[in-house]
Amino acid sequence: MLVQLGAAVAVVAVTAVAPAGRFDQPMSGFAPPTTVLREGSPQSAGLDPAPIAAANATIANSPLFPGAVTLLVHDGVIVDRTATGKAVRYADATTELPADQQVPMRVDTIFDVASVTKLFTSIAVLGLVDDGKVDINRPVATYLPEFGVNGKTAITVKQLLTHTSGLEPFILLWRDYPDKASRIKAVMDHAPSAPPGSVYTYSDLNLITLGVLVERLRGEPLDVVVAKRITTPLGLTDTGYNPPASKRDRIAATEYQTAPARGMVRGEVHDENTWSLGGVAGHAGVFSTARDLAVLGQTILNGGTYRGKRILREATVREMLTNHNAAYPGNAHGLGFELDQRWYMGGLSGPRTAGHTGFTGTSLVLDPASRSIAILLTNRVHPVRTNGSINSAREALATGLSRALAVRPRQGPTAWYTATGGATLRTPPLRATGPVAVSFAAFVDTDAGDSLVVEVDDGGTWRPLPLRVSGPDAPEGEVTALSGSGHRSWWTVHAIAPVGTQITVRWRFVTDSRYSGRGVTLDRITVTEGSRILLNGEKQPHLIRPLGWEPKTR
């Protein structure tokens, strides 16, 4: 489909893909519960390998982290798994190790996944729901009476899972309290910084509290519960807290810490609060590999089961991937999972696209609509946490996978497709004596700041055409630009151009934001004057001049 040619984007012909490799399908349900991960190539899953290769090149050339491991899954097939750079590169905050002492990344490198841990805790909580031990709509104090102080009596389990409790992001437990007991008590005692249910505030305190809740109701430490209820049934042999010394050689180093004075952290949790709690907490502490996280992701896509082992009921998983934060636009959140966050989910974003990131440089994205998984694991805090945001790499990987998936033409064997801004399609000058009707089909997957505009030159000036659009989640009334994502369906678009002796119509895809999504595909372009056809894009595609656009096959 796409190949990069300098600053331009072109499209090359590919053979028809299998239905498995499609992007143009709304969420219809979970993958078959019997789906088990298997090795394959992009081509074997009906994917175009070029966008995946481009995303991997972006990550391999990134200066934002010493090394990375990526893993992409579509329809149960591991279509790509790549390791690049170094798992250990530095001796301290500034000194590089000699080349022969640096440790290269491997596809089975173990990472401190940081806040991706929150997913394991959330699943453990929802396991209690499945067992009838927790009602998420009841106050947390029902299960942890000591939590119900200082204005927290009404905070519910659901508000902790969705970060709407009003609790602030974190407190310095490791610095301000002398031992584990006093640190846990500090969390239980801490007053919210906003009225519960009034604001979305991402907070470690929410998940630390949920970890304590799990321990209280299960009667076992959190790491034991996660092992018994999640990692052991799923066969996640490299996933858990406080990894043994025998696995240290496979663990990526994180930060050289001076406060607290821990030196180069490797094989111990990076998060200071979790470290002060013995390496086990609800918000951080899990170590894992790309493969293990892919199994967890496939379990969710399967509706809570993998290889015959069920960790959650299907209805619970469905609720977990439902947005409970409609009152907080831009902060869509399921029960534990973040939803529809384009800044790291890229072109895979959609209303039920789920995932989480971790401070150490990790991200997991699950797209139920296309049955796809994108995993990026880096050691971006090695040797210091000021290396910068890796969101561009996160977004590039997910978008690369989305662009590898096919969008079938609306009609016939070809359509016009672009994935970047600056592309234009233009008709030749068309002679007409009356109003001209323009119609076309559009598959739109863009960030809100990016749009397709349709313009007409009626005598030297380009003017936008008012558009009327129909289809799933199409904009209502007349609009002058098309944008949006998540619907994953073709729209039908109509416009009327003004009277003129000669007109030219053009379609421009413009981007003014970093997140361009999958892009725009156009098909079934026709221009008519009454019953007279001035241009038929299906029969005369050569008349539509592509500037950055070219037709693609199915």
Side-chain angles (χ1 to χ4, degrees), residues 9-71:
V9 174
V11 181
V12 297
V14 296
T15 57
V17 299
R22 294 179 63 178
F23 186 79
D24 54 336
Q25 44 197 359
M27 174 69 177
S28 59
F30 292 113
T34 56
T35 303
V36 175
L37 295 179
R38 59 197 185 280
E39 301 288 339
S41 65
Q43 295 91 331
S44 72
L47 306 186
D48 178 6
I52 294 173
N56 282 335
T58 296
I59 290 165
N61 294 324
S62 175
L64 300 173
F65 37 77
V69 174
T70 64
L71 191 149

Side-chain angles (χ1 to χ4, degrees), residues 339-350 395 399 445-448 484-486 515-518:
L339 302 175
D340 200 13
Q341 300 297 307
R342 186 171 288 275
W343 58 275
Y344 72 93
M345 297 175 180
L348 292 179
S349 299
E395 189 266 345
T399 297
D445 187 86
T446 74
D447 186 62
S485 64
Y515 308 120
S516 58
R518 193 187 187 283

Side-chain angles (χ1 to χ4, degrees), residues 453-470:
V453 295
V454 185
E455 299 165 316
V456 62
D457 179 358
D458 60 355
T461 302
W462 289 102
R463 304 180 188 280
L465 287 180
L467 308 174
R468 288 196 171 273
V469 192
S470 61

Side-chain angles (χ1 to χ4, degrees), residues 495-516:
I496 301 295
V499 176
T501 58
Q502 181 173 285
I503 66 167
T504 302
V505 183
R506 73 180 182 184
W507 292 256
R508 288 193 302 123
F509 179 43
V510 292
T511 40
D512 62 2
S513 71
R514 198 180 79 194
Y515 308 120
S516 58

Side-chain angles (χ1 to χ4, degrees), residues 406-431:
V407 171
R408 300 251 177 169
R410 191 72 176 88
Q411 178 182 338
T414 60
W416 287 273
Y417 170 55
T418 184
T420 61
T424 302
L425 279 178
R426 189 167 65 195
T427 71
L430 303 171
R431 295 191 177 277

